Amino acid sequence: MKLENKPNSICVMVVDDEQDIRDGSERILTRIGFRVLKASRGDEALTILEKEKVSIVLLDLKMPGMDGMEVLRHIRERDEAILVIVITGYATVETATEAMKLGAYDFISKPFVPDQLRIVVNRAWEKICLTQEAEKLEEEKRRTLSDLGTEKSRIHTIIEQLPNGMLVTNSKGQVVLMNPAVMQLLDLDSGLKVGKQIEDYVVDEGLCKLVMEISQGKHVDFDDIPDYEFNQSDDKYLLAKGQPVLGEKKECLGAVISVVDISAIKVLDQLKSEFVAKVSHELRSPLSTIHEQLALVIREMVGEVSEHDQHILARAREKTQGLISLIGDLLDLSRIEEGLICQEPKSVRLEDLLEDIVDFLKTRTDGKGQSITLELPNDPLPDLIADPLALETIFGNLITNAINYTQDGGTIKVEIDMAGINVRVKVSDNGFGIADKYLDKIFERFYRVKDDKTRYITGTGLGLPIVKGLVDSMGGFISVESTPGKGSVFTVLLPIKA
Ligand code: ADP
């Protein structure tokens, strides 16, 4: 503490009937930065105190009229914060002790030298500074506590009022917080208390498992935690999204799960899927017949029609082929949406399945002068429990896209490894790439990027929606990173037990 930096407002009052003491003290104390007021009598001192803000009082005990003890009593009654230093003669040390008992802060004996006065007043000033500092800290602490209290109750109110369900678990998977919305969505009794395991509140086994995994910090890649759709009852569909809660050292403290009701969207989606499935089904047989008949006409009329007409017929046949594959894709999508496609999960060795697909597509890469490689991990992967047909569709589509949207002579790479509890497959190419603004859109139905490079590549725009539908239905996750002109990487994460 820098004592020489005293503000001038720090005022010392010297109360003594001896003028020498008053003037001498004034000289010494003014020189070290205090403002000094003087009083020769007790009642004069009390009058000054009524008008001035005095911090320290140097008080002679032996004065004519009102004596020092009396003045001290008055000061103590008026203002506890004023520090009183009593000035005593040798003979009055006992009185000084009594004064200390009455609340004087210190004493100095007459006669004193300047240094003694400086030391004793500076000590009092130091005490004032420390007291002020302590009061400031105490005030800050009070404010912080009250801020925290307000913040806590504000967050609590927000969570209570949220229209979305909100459930929080600790790292053992015990529920520590639920808002009324989640209790209503999960059909829980409103009086139910928190504190038990997640299974005591949630019936769906898949969701319980996911919540436990997130709570225990099993998801290494937090962005890749899948959304979870489940049926609460026959006509109530819910969507849960989970995120881990991390502590200061990035350790997992539990999970926050938000739950929304998606029943209305589901009903609409179902109606639309049924409509699409019906229309596609109705169109497929007549279209196939037209396609076959066109083929027949082309075969029978070779040489009889002009080259121009032959070209027209061939184009018509290409178009009907395009329509037939579009209808095939639409029917596949409908089946995925109805949950019919992943019906036969078995134990699958993903390395073998990918090897077969790569082998099968090699003729196409050879035709385009492209190289395709499959990189397997050093240690064998655990088998996947999944529908092999669905897996073929997923990776067949991704690798075919990589071939289609990469220039002749390009490179395609398929890699497999483990990421936490998931198998990770990356399909990368050094082809045309996809601009950032299209990255979300390519998973929408019928969306195709149309630029100079892709315009003439035939496709339905349904491949990636089918892939995403299948990956989602297996509880997996798909993401894409791409740089136009450099290439794309599609990453699929699939839980070992789909
Ligand atoms: P389709 O291939 O039938 O057009 P998809 O749904 O499989 O439909 O793909 C949608 C769009 O995403 C494609 O039209 C293409 O523009 C883009 N795309 C998909 N894969 C890649 C890739 N590996 N590289 C560049 N663009 C791609």
Side-chain angles (χ1 to χ4, degrees):
M1 187 179 314
K2 287 211 176 120
L3 295 174
E4 55 275 21
N5 284 349
K6 294 178 214 67
N8 283 337
S9 59
I10 294 297
C11 181
V12 182
M13 178 165 64
V14 186
V15 189
D16 202 308
D17 55 338
E18 284 181 54
Q19 178 153 8
D20 289 354
I21 298 272
R22 291 200 303 274
D23 295 348
S25 305
E26 181 184 28
R27 261 198 313 281
I28 295 163
L29 296 177
T30 319
R31 238 178 265 147
I32 56 170
F34 291 103
R35 189 160 79 91
V36 178
L37 299 172
K38 297 179 288 184
S40 57
R41 298 162 54 88
D43 47 358
E44 194 189 336
L46 294 179
T47 318
I48 292 177
L49 279 183
E50 270 168 29
K51 298 187 204 130
E52 299 277 352
K53 166 102 185 73
V54 173
S55 304
I56 301 167
V57 174
L58 275 163
L59 179 64
D60 185 15
L61 288 180
K62 266 202 166 342
M63 284 184 294
M66 187 189 288
D67 79 343
M69 280 301 191
E70 187 71 26
V71 181
L72 174 61
R73 237 173 254 122
H74 274 94
I75 295 178
R76 283 280 69 92
E77 274 165 23
R78 265 183 81 86
D79 190 345
E80 289 270 324
I82 296 175
L83 294 189
V84 178
I85 300 164
V86 294
I87 306 172
T88 67
Y90 287 119
T92 53
V93 173
E94 271 173 28
T95 341
T97 320
E98 199 186 323
M100 299 295 281
K101 279 188 199 149
L102 269 180
Y105 171 67
D106 210 344
F107 71 92
I108 182 165
S109 314
K110 264 196 233 179
F112 48 78
V113 292
D115 251 356
Q116 284 172 317
L117 180 69
R118 273 195 287 268
I119 288 171
V120 82
V121 175
N122 270 336
R123 197 156 53 211
W125 155 238
E126 202 169 318
K127 156 91 175 161
I128 290 173
C129 291
L130 287 172
T131 313
Q132 283 172 353
E133 191 72 9
E135 275 168 7
K136 216 167 92 196
L137 287 174
E138 184 63 24
E139 175 55 25
E140 263 170 31
K141 191 173 124 195
R142 256 200 305 275
R143 239 196 339 258
T144 318
L145 282 176
S146 110
D147 284 356
L148 270 177
T150 326
E151 196 56 39
K152 209 169 145 193
S153 79
R154 201 179 300 155
I155 291 175
H156 195 255
T157 317
I158 294 172
I159 293 176
E160 288 283 299
Q161 299 301 323
L162 274 180
N164 287 2
M166 188 67 79
L167 182 146
V168 182
T169 57
N170 61 17
S171 60
K172 292 185 197 130
Q174 289 161 334
V175 175
V176 291
L177 194 148
M178 288 188 291
N179 69 353
V182 88
M183 298 183 82
Q184 200 207 338
L185 287 169
L186 297 175
D187 301 319
L188 297 174
D189 196 64
S190 59
L192 197 63
K193 294 264 177 297
V194 294
K196 291 190 241 166
Q197 281 300 122
I198 182 76
E199 296 84 23
D200 290 317
Y201 306 89
V202 176
V203 182
D204 189 276
E205 278 178 25
L207 181 60
C208 289
K209 193 168 150 265
L210 182 69
V211 175
M212 274 314 276
E213 282 167 8
I214 302 175
S215 306
Q216 293 168 344
K218 288 197 182 155
H219 280 270
V220 281
D221 223 341
F222 295 153
D223 287 342
D224 298 346
I225 298 173
D227 294 348
Y228 187 82
E229 254 183 60
F230 63 106
N231 270 95
Q232 179 61 23
S233 55
D234 277 352
D235 53 357
K236 191 172 183 184
Y237 292 88
L238 302 179
L239 176 77
K241 288 171 189 272
Q243 278 292 307
V245 183
L246 298 186
E248 271 176 23
K249 291 180 195 137
K250 297 270 176 247
E251 75 281 19
C252 185
L253 304 176
V256 180
I257 314 291
S258 76
V259 183
V260 282
D261 190 337
I262 52 163
S263 311
I265 307 172
K266 272 279 170 192
V267 171
L268 271 179
D269 224 40
Q270 212 163 330
L271 282 176
K272 187 212 60 205
S273 299
E274 277 166 23
F275 174 76
V276 172
K278 206 163 168 69
V279 172
S280 312
H281 192 75
E282 292 299 318
L283 286 175
R284 190 157 63 168
S285 335
L287 246 179
S288 303
T289 316
I290 296 171
H291 187 69
E292 293 309 317
Q293 285 172 353
L294 266 174
L296 196 73
V297 171
I298 292 170
R299 257 200 315 275
E300 285 181 357
M301 295 184 112
V302 176
E304 288 179 28
V305 292
S306 69
E307 214 166 281
H308 176 255
D309 290 348
Q310 265 187 43
H311 178 71
I312 292 175
L313 285 169
R315 289 281 293 151
R317 193 168 171 250
E318 264 170 38
K319 291 281 174 199
T320 49
Q321 180 58 56
L323 280 173
I324 289 168
S325 56
L326 171 68
I327 285 170
D329 282 353
L330 279 172
L331 285 170
D332 275 354
L333 254 184
S334 310
R335 265 183 251 135
I336 293 167
E337 279 163 1
E338 279 173 49
L340 295 178
I341 207 142
C342 285
Q343 270 191 330
E344 286 177 36
K346 324 188 169 120
S347 179
V348 182
R349 232 177 83 79
L350 196 58
E351 291 103 312
D352 293 349
L353 184 127
L354 286 171
E355 234 156 25
D356 286 349
I357 300 176
V358 168
D359 271 354
F360 178 72
L361 292 172
K362 204 138 183 41
T363 39
R364 289 180 70 175
T365 47
D366 287 349
K368 290 184 79 176
Q370 294 167 331
S371 77
I372 182 162
T373 49
L374 173 64
E375 285 180 18
L376 302 175
N378 290 336
D379 300 325
L381 295 173
D383 284 2
L384 265 186
I385 309 294
D387 181 341
L389 266 179
L391 291 173
E392 268 171 29
T393 312
I394 294 172
F395 297 111
N397 261 300
L398 290 179
I399 302 172
T400 311
N401 275 352
I403 298 172
N404 285 346
Y405 299 105
T406 296
Q407 65 288 352
D408 289 1
T411 308
I412 288 117
K413 197 161 74 178
V414 183
E415 295 158 89
I416 329 177
D417 64 0
M418 285 300 290
I421 52 165
N422 295 310
V423 176
R424 173 164 53 196
V425 181
K426 279 190 187 175
V427 179
S428 9
D429 63 63
N430 64 351
F432 307 147
I434 309 160
D436 264 2
K437 58 181 171 186
Y438 301 129
L439 284 181
D440 281 345
K441 300 220 165 81
I442 55 172
F443 293 98
E444 288 170 13
R445 284 162 219 188
F446 300 112
Y447 195 87
R448 308 200 62 222
V449 181
K450 291 214 172 116
D451 58 25
D452 293 347
K453 295 209 168 103
T454 58
R455 196 173 300 277
Y456 301 106
I457 299 168
T458 47
T460 59
L462 288 174
L464 289 179
I466 289 178
V467 169
K468 180 152 172 39
L470 287 171
V471 172
D472 285 350
S473 72
M474 292 178 172
F477 185 85
I478 179 163
S479 63
V480 54
E481 286 166 64
S482 188
T483 315
K486 292 229 161 110
S488 313
V489 185
F490 284 82
T491 306
V492 175
L493 288 172
L494 292 174
I496 291 295
K497 289 199 179 81

